[in-house]
Amino acid sequence: MKFKFELASCVLLVFIFGCETNDSDADGSPDLAGGATTVFVSGSNAYSTPSPNLSGIGIEQHADGDAAFEQIFVTAPAGVNGGLGPVFNNTSCINCHVRDGRGLPFVEGSTGSLLFRLSIPGSDEHGGPVGIDGFGGQLQVRSVEGFIAEGNVTVNYTEIDSLYPDGNPYSLLQPAYTVTQTYTNLPSNFLLSPRFARSVFGLGLLEAISESDILDLADENDTDQDGISGRPNYVWDIVNQKNSLGRFGWKANQPNLLQQNATAYQQDMGITSYVHPLENSFGQTNNDTLPDDPEIDSLTIAAVTFYTQTLGVPAPRNQNDQSVREGKKLFEQALCQNCHVAPFRTNNLNGVPEVSNQVIYPYTDMLLHDMGEGLADNRSDFLANGREWRTPPLWGIGLSEVVNGHTYFLHDGRARNIEEAILWHGGEAQESVSIFKHLTKEQRSALLQFINSL
């Protein structure tokens, strides 16, 4: 009943807000950030509300995926949801993507929802990172009884104090990671990259953006000399056995949501599927020998994929507020929109008409950008080098505290709020940061209010 009520409310609000839209772009409106998938929910369920344009069958598929997303896996053998591990990072999807939003920050004694990618220099046969013997491509910090976790990580933060040109202070947290308690030795040249769990709403819309529209924004050699390059990542598509445009992950290292989800099952929980039929610890001394692979079927992968494709996008708020409108102008003057792009018109996504042919406002160009030495992980991932990250979408960002109870951002959660996230930008974004710093305190506040309104 609650589910039906929420959908009815969304439809009503779409009608109401549809009468008040402004600044329309090609049959779309910034007030409808997710097109017809937009939801007008600004509470703790803002990221967890299904798209209001789902059909009856679509609602059933979405609910099946929702249930699978929340399944907690246990040690095999088990009658239900067995197969966890033997080494793993978490026991369910929802435990990392809390309320379909961001993960938990790093806290003393726990890595929260941070994952740590591992590799050694070089490229594998498909151009991807080279996994480490005994560890693979990700450090699993937990294990089931009778097995040994691969290791752990500690972090120490250094507070960096500084001043804006107008004399107002700010500070940033510089993290330093140390791998500890490894069950076997790591090579001396290992590379480590922390990755913070991200929100999962609106992903179907991003998957439906045409490749040509993304490539039209690329300017790898900066031919327009605006200081912004932007280039696509091309990564290995396991199912189709070919290189494809990377769309998902902090470095756009996954081509589609099916592979993104299947990889998370395998790497994060040790759950095998037809996409990844081998355990994450295959070939290691801490691997099990159970003949139970694959541990989930193709229907489960399909259900979770559909779920992540059809979560609605929260509508922006307070768009007529004077400070927000002033902040939008400053956002553009600071050249933020050169990477945080809106709008797009989505293409057809096979089997998901709900996200097809929608005008959306995600504020991302889906491309890789050099973000400077301060954010560099110095670890390549297919075509992404150690300084490059994919532009994250900004839609819904202002609801992070309401949904997840914190405002930690960037790939490792080091930024305690949006202001710090901006100040960490470097590389291609250095000019934008300089403009931001030279704004007055009131102007910086207005710009932040605009981002928080998205």
Side-chain angles (χ1 to χ4, degrees), residues 211-241:
E211 180 170 342
S212 60
D213 283 350
I214 296 172
L215 297 183
D216 282 346
L217 298 172
D219 184 18
E220 185 166 350
N221 297 315
D222 192 21
T223 54
D224 61 6
Q225 299 184 330
D226 66 350
I228 307 296
S229 58
R231 64 186 187 128
N233 201 357
Y234 277 92
V235 303
W236 186 241
D237 184 328
I238 296 170
V239 173
N240 296 304
Q241 292 289 290

PDB file of all heavy atoms in Angstrom, residues 211-241:
ATOM      1  N   GLU A 211      26.246   6.997 -27.158  1.00  0.00           N
ATOM      2  CA  GLU A 211      27.704   7.113 -27.174  1.00  0.00           C
ATOM      3  C   GLU A 211      28.145   8.338 -27.982  1.00  0.00           C
ATOM      4  O   GLU A 211      29.074   9.050 -27.591  1.00  0.00           O
ATOM      5  CB  GLU A 211      28.327   5.842 -27.752  1.00  0.00           C
ATOM      6  CG  GLU A 211      29.846   5.867 -27.803  1.00  0.00           C
ATOM      7  CD  GLU A 211      30.444   4.507 -28.143  1.00  0.00           C
ATOM      8  OE1 GLU A 211      29.736   3.489 -27.997  1.00  0.00           O
ATOM      9  OE2 GLU A 211      31.621   4.468 -28.555  1.00  0.00           O
ATOM     10  N   SER A 212      27.446   8.597 -29.082  1.00  0.00           N
ATOM     11  CA  SER A 212      27.852   9.723 -29.935  1.00  0.00           C
ATOM     12  C   SER A 212      27.687  11.057 -29.204  1.00  0.00           C
ATOM     13  O   SER A 212      28.500  11.977 -29.375  1.00  0.00           O
ATOM     14  CB  SER A 212      27.040   9.727 -31.233  1.00  0.00           C
ATOM     15  OG  SER A 212      25.657   9.859 -30.964  1.00  0.00           O
ATOM     16  N   ASP A 213      26.648  11.177 -28.372  1.00  0.00           N
ATOM     17  CA  ASP A 213      26.463  12.424 -27.618  1.00  0.00           C
ATOM     18  C   ASP A 213      27.587  12.627 -26.608  1.00  0.00           C
ATOM     19  O   ASP A 213      28.013  13.765 -26.354  1.00  0.00           O
ATOM     20  CB  ASP A 213      25.113  12.411 -26.891  1.00  0.00           C
ATOM     21  CG  ASP A 213      23.952  12.693 -27.837  1.00  0.00           C
ATOM     22  OD1 ASP A 213      24.209  13.076 -28.992  1.00  0.00           O
ATOM     23  OD2 ASP A 213      22.794  12.502 -27.421  1.00  0.00           O
ATOM     24  N   ILE A 214      28.039  11.530 -25.992  1.00  0.00           N
ATOM     25  CA  ILE A 214      29.159  11.633 -25.045  1.00  0.00           C
ATOM     26  C   ILE A 214      30.448  11.994 -25.786  1.00  0.00           C
ATOM     27  O   ILE A 214      31.204  12.886 -25.366  1.00  0.00           O
ATOM     28  CB  ILE A 214      29.312  10.313 -24.258  1.00  0.00           C
ATOM     29  CG1 ILE A 214      28.067  10.072 -23.395  1.00  0.00           C
ATOM     30  CG2 ILE A 214      30.578  10.336 -23.405  1.00  0.00           C
ATOM     31  CD1 ILE A 214      28.025   8.706 -22.736  1.00  0.00           C
ATOM     32  N   LEU A 215      30.670  11.328 -26.908  1.00  0.00           N
ATOM     33  CA  LEU A 215      31.903  11.581 -27.659  1.00  0.00           C
ATOM     34  C   LEU A 215      31.937  12.996 -28.227  1.00  0.00           C
ATOM     35  O   LEU A 215      33.016  13.580 -28.406  1.00  0.00           O
ATOM     36  CB  LEU A 215      32.048  10.559 -28.784  1.00  0.00           C
ATOM     37  CG  LEU A 215      32.196   9.102 -28.335  1.00  0.00           C
ATOM     38  CD1 LEU A 215      32.415   8.194 -29.536  1.00  0.00           C
ATOM     39  CD2 LEU A 215      33.352   8.942 -27.344  1.00  0.00           C
ATOM     40  N   ASP A 216      30.757  13.556 -28.505  1.00  0.00           N
ATOM     41  CA  ASP A 216      30.706  14.938 -29.010  1.00  0.00           C
ATOM     42  C   ASP A 216      31.280  15.926 -28.000  1.00  0.00           C
ATOM     43  O   ASP A 216      31.708  17.034 -28.368  1.00  0.00           O
ATOM     44  CB  ASP A 216      29.262  15.327 -29.330  1.00  0.00           C
ATOM     45  CG  ASP A 216      28.795  14.739 -30.652  1.00  0.00           C
ATOM     46  OD1 ASP A 216      29.649  14.260 -31.430  1.00  0.00           O
ATOM     47  OD2 ASP A 216      27.581  14.745 -30.902  1.00  0.00           O
ATOM     48  N   LEU A 217      31.265  15.556 -26.714  1.00  0.00           N
ATOM     49  CA  LEU A 217      31.780  16.447 -25.664  1.00  0.00           C
ATOM     50  C   LEU A 217      33.279  16.276 -25.436  1.00  0.00           C
ATOM     51  O   LEU A 217      33.901  17.089 -24.753  1.00  0.00           O
ATOM     52  CB  LEU A 217      31.027  16.180 -24.351  1.00  0.00           C
ATOM     53  CG  LEU A 217      29.523  16.453 -24.381  1.00  0.00           C
ATOM     54  CD1 LEU A 217      28.877  15.956 -23.076  1.00  0.00           C
ATOM     55  CD2 LEU A 217      29.259  17.940 -24.565  1.00  0.00           C
ATOM     56  N   ALA A 218      33.834  15.195 -25.965  1.00  0.00           N
ATOM     57  CA  ALA A 218      35.262  14.926 -25.749  1.00  0.00           C
ATOM     58  C   ALA A 218      36.117  15.913 -26.528  1.00  0.00           C
ATOM     59  O   ALA A 218      35.773  16.317 -27.643  1.00  0.00           O
ATOM     60  CB  ALA A 218      35.589  13.497 -26.160  1.00  0.00           C
ATOM     61  N   ASP A 219      37.210  16.295 -25.930  1.00  0.00           N
ATOM     62  CA  ASP A 219      38.142  17.237 -26.577  1.00  0.00           C
ATOM     63  C   ASP A 219      39.528  16.896 -26.054  1.00  0.00           C
ATOM     64  O   ASP A 219      40.168  17.696 -25.370  1.00  0.00           O
ATOM     65  CB  ASP A 219      37.751  18.679 -26.229  1.00  0.00           C
ATOM     66  CG  ASP A 219      38.613  19.696 -26.956  1.00  0.00           C
ATOM     67  OD1 ASP A 219      39.260  19.323 -27.957  1.00  0.00           O
ATOM     68  OD2 ASP A 219      38.643  20.853 -26.510  1.00  0.00           O
ATOM     69  N   GLU A 220      39.957  15.692 -26.390  1.00  0.00           N
ATOM     70  CA  GLU A 220      41.156  15.115 -25.769  1.00  0.00           C
ATOM     71  C   GLU A 220      42.381  16.007 -25.919  1.00  0.00           C
ATOM     72  O   GLU A 220      43.220  16.082 -25.018  1.00  0.00           O
ATOM     73  CB  GLU A 220      41.428  13.727 -26.360  1.00  0.00           C
ATOM     74  CG  GLU A 220      42.576  13.001 -25.681  1.00  0.00           C
ATOM     75  CD  GLU A 220      42.617  11.533 -26.041  1.00  0.00           C
ATOM     76  OE1 GLU A 220      41.662  11.046 -26.666  1.00  0.00           O
ATOM     77  OE2 GLU A 220      43.606  10.873 -25.675  1.00  0.00           O
ATOM     78  N   ASN A 221      42.476  16.690 -27.035  1.00  0.00           N
ATOM     79  CA  ASN A 221      43.646  17.551 -27.268  1.00  0.00           C
ATOM     80  C   ASN A 221      43.357  19.030 -26.988  1.00  0.00           C
ATOM     81  O   ASN A 221      44.147  19.889 -27.356  1.00  0.00           O
ATOM     82  CB  ASN A 221      44.114  17.376 -28.716  1.00  0.00           C
ATOM     83  CG  ASN A 221      44.567  15.949 -28.991  1.00  0.00           C
ATOM     84  OD1 ASN A 221      45.302  15.352 -28.197  1.00  0.00           O
ATOM     85  ND2 ASN A 221      44.096  15.379 -30.095  1.00  0.00           N
ATOM     86  N   ASP A 222      42.217  19.285 -26.363  1.00  0.00           N
ATOM     87  CA  ASP A 222      41.823  20.654 -26.004  1.00  0.00           C
ATOM     88  C   ASP A 222      41.931  21.588 -27.208  1.00  0.00           C
ATOM     89  O   ASP A 222      42.566  22.653 -27.140  1.00  0.00           O
ATOM     90  CB  ASP A 222      42.666  21.177 -24.840  1.00  0.00           C
ATOM     91  CG  ASP A 222      42.093  22.471 -24.249  1.00  0.00           C
ATOM     92  OD1 ASP A 222      40.886  22.729 -24.456  1.00  0.00           O
ATOM     93  OD2 ASP A 222      42.849  23.210 -23.597  1.00  0.00           O
ATOM     94  N   THR A 223      41.315  21.209 -28.317  1.00  0.00           N
ATOM     95  CA  THR A 223      41.401  22.012 -29.541  1.00  0.00           C
ATOM     96  C   THR A 223      40.727  23.364 -29.395  1.00  0.00           C
ATOM     97  O   THR A 223      41.066  24.302 -30.112  1.00  0.00           O
ATOM     98  CB  THR A 223      40.757  21.254 -30.718  1.00  0.00           C
ATOM     99  OG1 THR A 223      39.421  20.871 -30.365  1.00  0.00           O
ATOM    100  CG2 THR A 223      41.560  20.011 -31.060  1.00  0.00           C
ATOM    101  N   ASP A 224      39.750  23.467 -28.461  1.00  0.00           N
ATOM    102  CA  ASP A 224      39.114  24.775 -28.273  1.00  0.00           C
ATOM    103  C   ASP A 224      39.848  25.628 -27.246  1.00  0.00           C
ATOM    104  O   ASP A 224      39.447  26.746 -26.941  1.00  0.00           O
ATOM    105  CB  ASP A 224      37.644  24.628 -27.878  1.00  0.00           C
ATOM    106  CG  ASP A 224      37.456  23.868 -26.565  1.00  0.00           C
ATOM    107  OD1 ASP A 224      38.468  23.549 -25.899  1.00  0.00           O
ATOM    108  OD2 ASP A 224      36.301  23.584 -26.209  1.00  0.00           O
ATOM    109  N   GLN A 225      40.928  25.072 -26.692  1.00  0.00           N
ATOM    110  CA  GLN A 225      41.836  25.802 -25.791  1.00  0.00           C
ATOM    111  C   GLN A 225      41.111  26.437 -24.601  1.00  0.00           C
ATOM    112  O   GLN A 225      41.453  27.545 -24.171  1.00  0.00           O
ATOM    113  CB  GLN A 225      42.614  26.866 -26.578  1.00  0.00           C
ATOM    114  CG  GLN A 225      43.481  26.278 -27.670  1.00  0.00           C
ATOM    115  CD  GLN A 225      44.320  27.326 -28.383  1.00  0.00           C
ATOM    116  OE1 GLN A 225      43.931  28.478 -28.495  1.00  0.00           O
ATOM    117  NE2 GLN A 225      45.485  26.925 -28.852  1.00  0.00           N
ATOM    118  N   ASP A 226      40.139  25.707 -24.075  1.00  0.00           N
ATOM    119  CA  ASP A 226      39.470  26.220 -22.877  1.00  0.00           C
ATOM    120  C   ASP A 226      40.037  25.579 -21.604  1.00  0.00           C
ATOM    121  O   ASP A 226      39.526  25.816 -20.507  1.00  0.00           O
ATOM    122  CB  ASP A 226      37.957  25.988 -22.957  1.00  0.00           C
ATOM    123  CG  ASP A 226      37.575  24.517 -22.925  1.00  0.00           C
ATOM    124  OD1 ASP A 226      38.484  23.664 -23.022  1.00  0.00           O
ATOM    125  OD2 ASP A 226      36.371  24.222 -22.800  1.00  0.00           O
ATOM    126  N   GLY A 227      41.082  24.780 -21.782  1.00  0.00           N
ATOM    127  CA  GLY A 227      41.709  24.144 -20.624  1.00  0.00           C
ATOM    128  C   GLY A 227      41.043  22.849 -20.198  1.00  0.00           C
ATOM    129  O   GLY A 227      41.519  22.174 -19.293  1.00  0.00           O
ATOM    130  N   ILE A 228      39.920  22.512 -20.847  1.00  0.00           N
ATOM    131  CA  ILE A 228      39.178  21.295 -20.522  1.00  0.00           C
ATOM    132  C   ILE A 228      39.311  20.325 -21.681  1.00  0.00           C
ATOM    133  O   ILE A 228      38.969  20.658 -22.821  1.00  0.00           O
ATOM    134  CB  ILE A 228      37.680  21.606 -20.281  1.00  0.00           C
ATOM    135  CG1 ILE A 228      37.518  22.718 -19.238  1.00  0.00           C
ATOM    136  CG2 ILE A 228      36.943  20.346 -19.850  1.00  0.00           C
ATOM    137  CD1 ILE A 228      38.025  22.361 -17.869  1.00  0.00           C
ATOM    138  N   SER A 229      39.804  19.139 -21.401  1.00  0.00           N
ATOM    139  CA  SER A 229      39.911  18.144 -22.471  1.00  0.00           C
ATOM    140  C   SER A 229      38.712  17.194 -22.391  1.00  0.00           C
ATOM    141  O   SER A 229      37.717  17.365 -23.072  1.00  0.00           O
ATOM    142  CB  SER A 229      41.234  17.400 -22.387  1.00  0.00           C
ATOM    143  OG  SER A 229      41.384  16.770 -21.137  1.00  0.00           O
ATOM    144  N   GLY A 230      38.782  16.223 -21.533  1.00  0.00           N
ATOM    145  CA  GLY A 230      37.697  15.251 -21.453  1.00  0.00           C
ATOM    146  C   GLY A 230      37.878  14.184 -22.497  1.00  0.00           C
ATOM    147  O   GLY A 230      37.989  14.472 -23.687  1.00  0.00           O
ATOM    148  N   ARG A 231      37.984  12.960 -22.044  1.00  0.00           N
ATOM    149  CA  ARG A 231      38.123  11.877 -23.011  1.00  0.00           C
ATOM    150  C   ARG A 231      37.396  10.642 -22.502  1.00  0.00           C
ATOM    151  O   ARG A 231      37.236  10.452 -21.290  1.00  0.00           O
ATOM    152  CB  ARG A 231      39.591  11.568 -23.283  1.00  0.00           C
ATOM    153  CG  ARG A 231      40.365  11.056 -22.091  1.00  0.00           C
ATOM    154  CD  ARG A 231      41.828  10.921 -22.453  1.00  0.00           C
ATOM    155  NE  ARG A 231      42.591  10.276 -21.399  1.00  0.00           N
ATOM    156  CZ  ARG A 231      43.381   9.227 -21.591  1.00  0.00           C
ATOM    157  NH1 ARG A 231      43.505   8.702 -22.800  1.00  0.00           N
ATOM    158  NH2 ARG A 231      44.047   8.699 -20.604  1.00  0.00           N
ATOM    159  N   PRO A 232      36.957   9.784 -23.437  1.00  0.00           N
ATOM    160  CA  PRO A 232      36.224   8.586 -23.037  1.00  0.00           C
ATOM    161  C   PRO A 232      37.175   7.496 -22.561  1.00  0.00           C
ATOM    162  O   PRO A 232      38.337   7.454 -22.959  1.00  0.00           O
ATOM    163  CB  PRO A 232      35.515   8.184 -24.328  1.00  0.00           C
ATOM    164  CG  PRO A 232      36.441   8.671 -25.416  1.00  0.00           C
ATOM    165  CD  PRO A 232      37.042   9.950 -24.889  1.00  0.00           C
ATOM    166  N   ASN A 233      36.657   6.640 -21.702  1.00  0.00           N
ATOM    167  CA  ASN A 233      37.379   5.417 -21.370  1.00  0.00           C
ATOM    168  C   ASN A 233      36.775   4.297 -22.207  1.00  0.00           C
ATOM    169  O   ASN A 233      35.566   4.270 -22.424  1.00  0.00           O
ATOM    170  CB  ASN A 233      37.224   5.091 -19.877  1.00  0.00           C
ATOM    171  CG  ASN A 233      38.316   4.159 -19.372  1.00  0.00           C
ATOM    172  OD1 ASN A 233      39.165   3.715 -20.155  1.00  0.00           O
ATOM    173  ND2 ASN A 233      38.322   3.875 -18.080  1.00  0.00           N
ATOM    174  N   TYR A 234      37.595   3.422 -22.711  1.00  0.00           N
ATOM    175  CA  TYR A 234      37.093   2.224 -23.398  1.00  0.00           C
ATOM    176  C   TYR A 234      37.571   1.007 -22.627  1.00  0.00           C
ATOM    177  O   TYR A 234      38.768   0.882 -22.337  1.00  0.00           O
ATOM    178  CB  TYR A 234      37.538   2.200 -24.867  1.00  0.00           C
ATOM    179  CG  TYR A 234      36.620   3.047 -25.725  1.00  0.00           C
ATOM    180  CD1 TYR A 234      36.910   4.380 -25.971  1.00  0.00           C
ATOM    181  CD2 TYR A 234      35.441   2.510 -26.239  1.00  0.00           C
ATOM    182  CE1 TYR A 234      36.044   5.179 -26.712  1.00  0.00           C
ATOM    183  CE2 TYR A 234      34.568   3.294 -26.993  1.00  0.00           C
ATOM    184  CZ  TYR A 234      34.874   4.619 -27.220  1.00  0.00           C
ATOM    185  OH  TYR A 234      34.008   5.387 -27.945  1.00  0.00           O
ATOM    186  N   VAL A 235      36.623   0.154 -22.288  1.00  0.00           N
ATOM    187  CA  VAL A 235      36.885  -0.925 -21.337  1.00  0.00           C
ATOM    188  C   VAL A 235      36.373  -2.250 -21.906  1.00  0.00           C
ATOM    189  O   VAL A 235      35.656  -2.277 -22.907  1.00  0.00           O
ATOM    190  CB  VAL A 235      36.200  -0.620 -19.988  1.00  0.00           C
ATOM    191  CG1 VAL A 235      36.678   0.720 -19.452  1.00  0.00           C
ATOM    192  CG2 VAL A 235      34.684  -0.601 -20.127  1.00  0.00           C
ATOM    193  N   TRP A 236      36.730  -3.337 -21.251  1.00  0.00           N
ATOM    194  CA  TRP A 236      36.377  -4.662 -21.766  1.00  0.00           C
ATOM    195  C   TRP A 236      34.973  -5.057 -21.330  1.00  0.00           C
ATOM    196  O   TRP A 236      34.658  -5.070 -20.133  1.00  0.00           O
ATOM    197  CB  TRP A 236      37.378  -5.704 -21.280  1.00  0.00           C
ATOM    198  CG  TRP A 236      37.163  -7.073 -21.877  1.00  0.00           C
ATOM    199  CD1 TRP A 236      36.871  -8.227 -21.207  1.00  0.00           C
ATOM    200  CD2 TRP A 236      37.255  -7.428 -23.254  1.00  0.00           C
ATOM    201  NE1 TRP A 236      36.753  -9.274 -22.086  1.00  0.00           N
ATOM    202  CE2 TRP A 236      36.985  -8.806 -23.357  1.00  0.00           C
ATOM    203  CE3 TRP A 236      37.522  -6.709 -24.423  1.00  0.00           C
ATOM    204  CZ2 TRP A 236      36.985  -9.491 -24.571  1.00  0.00           C
ATOM    205  CZ3 TRP A 236      37.515  -7.393 -25.646  1.00  0.00           C
ATOM    206  CH2 TRP A 236      37.262  -8.759 -25.711  1.00  0.00           C
ATOM    207  N   ASP A 237      34.135  -5.357 -22.347  1.00  0.00           N
ATOM    208  CA  ASP A 237      32.777  -5.836 -22.121  1.00  0.00           C
ATOM    209  C   ASP A 237      32.832  -7.356 -22.097  1.00  0.00           C
ATOM    210  O   ASP A 237      33.042  -8.000 -23.130  1.00  0.00           O
ATOM    211  CB  ASP A 237      31.873  -5.330 -23.252  1.00  0.00           C
ATOM    212  CG  ASP A 237      30.413  -5.709 -23.050  1.00  0.00           C
ATOM    213  OD1 ASP A 237      30.162  -6.785 -22.460  1.00  0.00           O
ATOM    214  OD2 ASP A 237      29.537  -4.952 -23.496  1.00  0.00           O
ATOM    215  N   ILE A 238      32.658  -7.930 -20.916  1.00  0.00           N
ATOM    216  CA  ILE A 238      32.852  -9.374 -20.739  1.00  0.00           C
ATOM    217  C   ILE A 238      31.816 -10.174 -21.512  1.00  0.00           C
ATOM    218  O   ILE A 238      32.145 -11.162 -22.186  1.00  0.00           O
ATOM    219  CB  ILE A 238      32.779  -9.725 -19.238  1.00  0.00           C
ATOM    220  CG1 ILE A 238      33.913  -9.053 -18.483  1.00  0.00           C
ATOM    221  CG2 ILE A 238      32.831 -11.239 -19.037  1.00  0.00           C
ATOM    222  CD1 ILE A 238      33.791  -9.148 -16.967  1.00  0.00           C
ATOM    223  N   VAL A 239      30.556  -9.791 -21.432  1.00  0.00           N
ATOM    224  CA  VAL A 239      29.493 -10.568 -22.073  1.00  0.00           C
ATOM    225  C   VAL A 239      29.614 -10.518 -23.592  1.00  0.00           C
ATOM    226  O   VAL A 239      29.488 -11.539 -24.283  1.00  0.00           O
ATOM    227  CB  VAL A 239      28.110 -10.062 -21.620  1.00  0.00           C
ATOM    228  CG1 VAL A 239      27.001 -10.745 -22.411  1.00  0.00           C
ATOM    229  CG2 VAL A 239      27.933 -10.291 -20.125  1.00  0.00           C
ATOM    230  N   ASN A 240      29.867  -9.337 -24.121  1.00  0.00           N
ATOM    231  CA  ASN A 240      29.929  -9.178 -25.574  1.00  0.00           C
ATOM    232  C   ASN A 240      31.328  -9.355 -26.144  1.00  0.00           C
ATOM    233  O   ASN A 240      31.522  -9.269 -27.357  1.00  0.00           O
ATOM    234  CB  ASN A 240      29.380  -7.803 -25.957  1.00  0.00           C
ATOM    235  CG  ASN A 240      27.909  -7.670 -25.613  1.00  0.00           C
ATOM    236  OD1 ASN A 240      27.074  -8.477 -26.044  1.00  0.00           O
ATOM    237  ND2 ASN A 240      27.566  -6.670 -24.810  1.00  0.00           N
ATOM    238  N   GLN A 241      32.309  -9.575 -25.255  1.00  0.00           N
ATOM    239  CA  GLN A 241      33.681  -9.865 -25.680  1.00  0.00           C
ATOM    240  C   GLN A 241      34.222  -8.816 -26.663  1.00  0.00           C
ATOM    241  O   GLN A 241      34.708  -9.147 -27.765  1.00  0.00           O
ATOM    242  CB  GLN A 241      33.762 -11.262 -26.294  1.00  0.00           C
ATOM    243  CG  GLN A 241      33.551 -12.394 -25.304  1.00  0.00           C
ATOM    244  CD  GLN A 241      34.740 -12.537 -24.336  1.00  0.00           C
ATOM    245  OE1 GLN A 241      35.835 -12.959 -24.740  1.00  0.00           O
ATOM    246  NE2 GLN A 241      34.529 -12.169 -23.096  1.00  0.00           N
TER     247      GLN A 241
END
